[in-house]
Amino acid sequence: MIAGEAVVVVGIDYKYTLDFVNRDLKQGDQEDEKERACRMSALHKRSADRLQEMLRKNGGIYIKLGQHLASLKYLLPDEWTTAMEPLQDRCIPSSIESIQALFLSDFGKPISSFFSSFELEPIGVASLAQVHRAKLFDGQEVAVKIQHPALDEFSTIDIKTVAALTNFVAFVFPEFEFTWLSDEMQTSLPRELDFDVEAANAARVAVNFDKARAEGSKSTIKIPDVIWSQKRVLVMEFIVGSRIDNLSYLKDNNIKVQEVSNEMARMFSQMIYKDGFVHCDPHPGNVLIRPAPPGSLSPRNFEIVLLDHGLYRELTPEFRLDYARLWTAIIASDEEEIKYRALKLGGTDAYQLFSTILTGRDWSVVQEAQLAKKARNKDEFVMLSDGAGNKIAEVADILAKVPRNLLLLFKTNDLLRALDEDLGTDDGSQMRTFAVMGQYCAHAIYEADKSVIKSKLNSSKMTVLFLTTTLRSWLKAYCGYLYTTTSLDLFMWWVTLGQSDSLFGRLFSRVGQLVF
């Protein structure tokens, strides 16, 4: 009833304001357009505040919905995303009595049967669970993640309610297609609510990075070891660290934000383009950082600890290759290839707006091949936010068409960009992020080309003409890969040198402005 009332009131407010209140304003008149913008901003703010209050009251899955809305900066006006941001950190903990009842219900034993000590005050509270610090009987410190007990009773009806409300919005405003939001929740949430799935995801991603290290690809990532799991309880090793966006902690431990940004780019590029198994919720609350302990495999003086492994997406080799080719085209400003890949991968011919959603950058930046050479500034960010408010219908139409995997990659990209900005990274770090991703894309394309060549070698008759053609294909693929990776290496070196305080660095910076 609370959810239905809030959504209906917001819908009526929008319908009334758009159809009647603004009728006295003339299109094209400068003063009337200013007044229209002012009225729309007020409408967005009061509607977002009303919905945020409803989400906060209902808690649980509704908080999760609000967090997702907060990340949709490419779709929603700034008034909406700003109103939803508090839901990312302000979740209400479940009582210790309900936690004790959960243990008795699920295990038939009290908390004291599992832990020698258990801190009653949670050290972290999220929308679906809270975490307590505890000790096992062998003395090991652990983090105990416990699902909010009420979710078991209400999750099914909450998911159905969200679906009904998004269908209502689609009925009242047919030009705004938001049913994909409830579809995604119905797919993802049941898996996020099963901590056995989360434990399996954590183990799998840890194996992926261990394999990469064995192949010579160093990484700063640390996945906490899972001690044991059950559907609503997950026990992990306890790791002391801080949120990755705690700038004073980074400074105190001599950790450079530029290196943190680069390592995050490498980490997620490997997940997307190499492993095809992607953590899709990298907001700052799910990422810790700590100084590298003795014996660490990290190549830096820090480790990035990735938490909350409930929301993952598995990407097929074909999807990864198409996605890598799309990003390669965007970085190179190959408009025809962007248009082709947007249609093939995203099912839309609105490739310019599609590119803006994907990159978080204005189309002019992509068109001028400045994506990896020009950092996003405040003016561009304001322009994008204003654009979102004016193109909600067009953006919603694109989001309704794209594959579900791509929707979560949009969210992941936006969260990583927001993290970079929270860290206060310099322009060079933002540019190096795209360069790092470009190298992983090039590697994915080269590996795919090699696979095709190997397949032909195994299935075709060996003739001089065939071998010559195959060798030519391999040389073309290898030279393209070598050119791309080398040029991006040089670019990153140039950017780093240009930021140096030395006279030589300042000279290179001036020359770089002319060349790039």
Side-chain angles (χ1 to χ4, degrees), residues 301-314:
N301 68 334
F302 60 86
E303 285 184 341
I304 295 174
V305 184
L306 197 57
L307 306 175
D308 196 349
H309 299 275
L311 184 58
Y312 271 75
R313 269 297 184 270
E314 191 159 1

Side-chain angles (χ1 to χ4, degrees), residues 24 93 125 129 255 287 395 422 439:
D24 61 318
V125 183
I255 298 173
V287 190
V395 174
D422 289 344
Q439 290 185 318

Side-chain angles (χ1 to χ4, degrees), residues 107-370:
F107 303 106
K109 298 178 182 179
I111 295 173
S112 58
S113 297
F114 297 90
F115 309 102
S116 61
S117 67
F118 186 91
E119 294 186 6
L120 301 183
E121 190 72 22
I123 57 175
V125 183
S127 56
L128 303 183
Q130 61 193 51
V131 179
H132 291 259
R133 190 171 184 171
K135 272 188 180 181
L136 300 177
F137 287 105
D138 63 4
Q140 181 181 358
E141 276 200 302
V142 292
V144 185
K145 182 176 180 179
I146 305 168
Q147 191 176 117
H148 294 304
L151 289 177
D152 190 51
E153 182 180 358
F154 295 109
S155 61
T156 301
I157 188 62
D158 285 347
I159 291 172
K160 289 182 178 180
T161 301
V162 170
L165 294 176
T166 53
N167 286 332
F168 168 77
V169 172
F171 175 76
V172 177
F173 300 97
E175 65 273 28
F176 302 128
E177 176 56 79
F178 284 107
T179 54
W180 55 268
L181 187 58
S182 61
D183 290 344
E184 178 53 42
M185 288 187 70
Q186 291 180 75
T187 300
S188 300
L189 274 172
R191 294 181 63 80
E192 289 189 77
L193 292 171
D194 187 343
F195 290 172
D196 282 331
V197 172
E198 179 172 347
N201 289 342
R204 181 174 172 182
V205 76
V207 168
N208 286 343
F209 278 94
D210 286 343
K211 182 180 177 182
R213 288 189 180 104
E215 295 171 351
S217 178
K218 296 181 179 180
S219 175
T220 58
I221 192 170
K222 166 64 179 174
I223 307 297
D225 294 332
V226 174
I227 312 301
W228 58 268
S229 68
Q230 188 266 356
K231 186 176 181 181
R232 296 201 289 172
V233 178
L234 182 66
V235 180
M236 304 162 284
E237 68 169 310
F238 187 84
I239 292 179
V240 177
S242 176
R243 279 175 53 123
I244 195 170
D245 59 350
N246 185 340
L247 298 181
S248 60
Y249 181 89
L250 298 181
K251 184 177 180 181
D252 291 343
N253 289 279
N254 196 31
I255 298 173
K256 297 179 179 178
V257 293
Q258 296 88 345
E259 292 182 355
V260 175
S261 173
N262 283 354
E263 290 301 321
M264 286 292 290
R266 293 183 189 283
M267 183 189 307
F268 277 85
S269 291
Q270 179 181 318
M271 289 185 195
I272 293 169
Y273 302 106
K274 185 177 180 182
D275 301 330
F277 190 60
V278 191
H279 187 298
C280 293
D281 200 15
H283 65 77
N286 285 341
V287 190
L288 300 182
I289 194 162
R290 67 172 180 175
S296 171
L297 299 175
S298 171
R300 305 288 188 182
N301 68 334
F302 60 86
E303 285 184 341
I304 295 174
V305 184
L306 197 57
L307 306 175
D308 196 349
H309 299 275
L311 184 58
Y312 271 75
R313 269 297 184 270
E314 191 159 1
L315 310 178
T316 66
E318 181 183 6
F319 181 95
R320 297 203 308 268
L321 181 59
D322 282 333
Y323 192 63
R325 292 192 187 280
L326 170 62
W327 268 108
T328 300
I330 287 174
I331 292 172
S333 189
D334 185 342
E335 191 163 346
E336 284 303 312
E337 183 71 5
I338 295 171
K339 186 175 182 180
Y340 170 72
R341 295 294 164 187
L343 186 60
K344 183 181 180 183
L345 193 62
T348 178
D349 54 8
Y351 65 94
Q352 296 183 2
L353 186 55
F354 178 84
S355 299
T356 296
I357 295 171
L358 182 64
T359 62
R361 304 298 299 271
D362 188 67
W363 168 249
S364 63
V365 176
V366 177
Q367 192 176 32
E368 295 167 9
Q370 295 296 305

Side-chain angles (χ1 to χ4, degrees), residues 257-505:
V257 293
Q258 296 88 345
E259 292 182 355
V260 175
S261 173
N262 283 354
E263 290 301 321
M264 286 292 290
R266 293 183 189 283
M267 183 189 307
F268 277 85
S269 291
Q270 179 181 318
M271 289 185 195
I272 293 169
Y273 302 106
K274 185 177 180 182
D275 301 330
F277 190 60
V278 191
H279 187 298
C280 293
D281 200 15
H283 65 77
N286 285 341
V287 190
L288 300 182
I289 194 162
R290 67 172 180 175
S296 171
L297 299 175
S298 171
R300 305 288 188 182
N301 68 334
F302 60 86
E303 285 184 341
I304 295 174
V305 184
L306 197 57
L307 306 175
D308 196 349
H309 299 275
L311 184 58
Y312 271 75
R313 269 297 184 270
E314 191 159 1
L315 310 178
T316 66
E318 181 183 6
F319 181 95
R320 297 203 308 268
L321 181 59
D322 282 333
Y323 192 63
R325 292 192 187 280
L326 170 62
W327 268 108
T328 300
I330 287 174
I331 292 172
S333 189
D334 185 342
E335 191 163 346
E336 284 303 312
E337 183 71 5
I338 295 171
K339 186 175 182 180
Y340 170 72
R341 295 294 164 187
L343 186 60
K344 183 181 180 183
L345 193 62
T348 178
D349 54 8
Y351 65 94
Q352 296 183 2
L353 186 55
F354 178 84
S355 299
T356 296
I357 295 171
L358 182 64
T359 62
R361 304 298 299 271
D362 188 67
W363 168 249
S364 63
V365 176
V366 177
Q367 192 176 32
E368 295 167 9
Q370 295 296 305
L371 191 63
K373 301 172 185 177
K374 178 182 177 182
R376 184 167 73 171
N377 55 34
K378 290 184 179 179
D379 290 339
E380 186 183 353
F381 187 78
V382 170
M383 184 167 54
L384 288 168
S385 297
D386 291 343
N390 296 326
K391 296 181 178 179
I392 294 179
E394 294 94 326
V395 174
D397 182 61
I398 290 175
L399 297 180
K401 292 177 179 176
V402 300
R404 303 300 94 178
N405 285 345
L406 200 53
L407 271 179
L408 282 179
L409 288 182
F410 284 162
K411 174 188 174 184
T412 302
N413 289 337
D414 207 51
L415 287 171
L416 291 173
R417 279 192 292 267
L419 177 58
D420 255 359
E421 288 163 358
D422 289 344
L423 287 172
T425 55
D426 53 43
D427 291 355
S429 291
Q430 293 184 44
M431 291 185 282
R432 281 192 294 268
T433 294
F434 283 109
V436 166
M437 185 174 60
Q439 290 185 318
Y440 274 86
C441 288
H443 186 265
I445 294 168
Y446 176 57
E447 288 297 320
D449 289 341
K450 278 201 309 182
S451 180
V452 170
I453 292 169
K454 286 180 181 179
S455 178
K456 289 181 178 178
L457 284 171
N458 292 331
S459 61
S460 302
K461 185 178 179 181
M462 297 297 161
T463 65
V464 174
L465 178 61
F466 171 74
L467 290 174
T468 303
T469 304
T470 302
L471 179 61
R472 188 183 300 117
S473 298
W474 177 80
L475 283 172
K476 181 181 178 182
Y478 180 71
C479 289
Y481 166 68
L482 196 63
Y483 171 78
T484 301
T485 54
T486 303
S487 60
L488 288 172
D489 271 334
L490 287 171
F491 172 73
M492 287 190 285
W493 171 76
W494 195 293
V495 170
T496 302
L497 190 62
Q499 291 182 307
S500 170
D501 291 331
S502 67
L503 178 62
F504 189 56

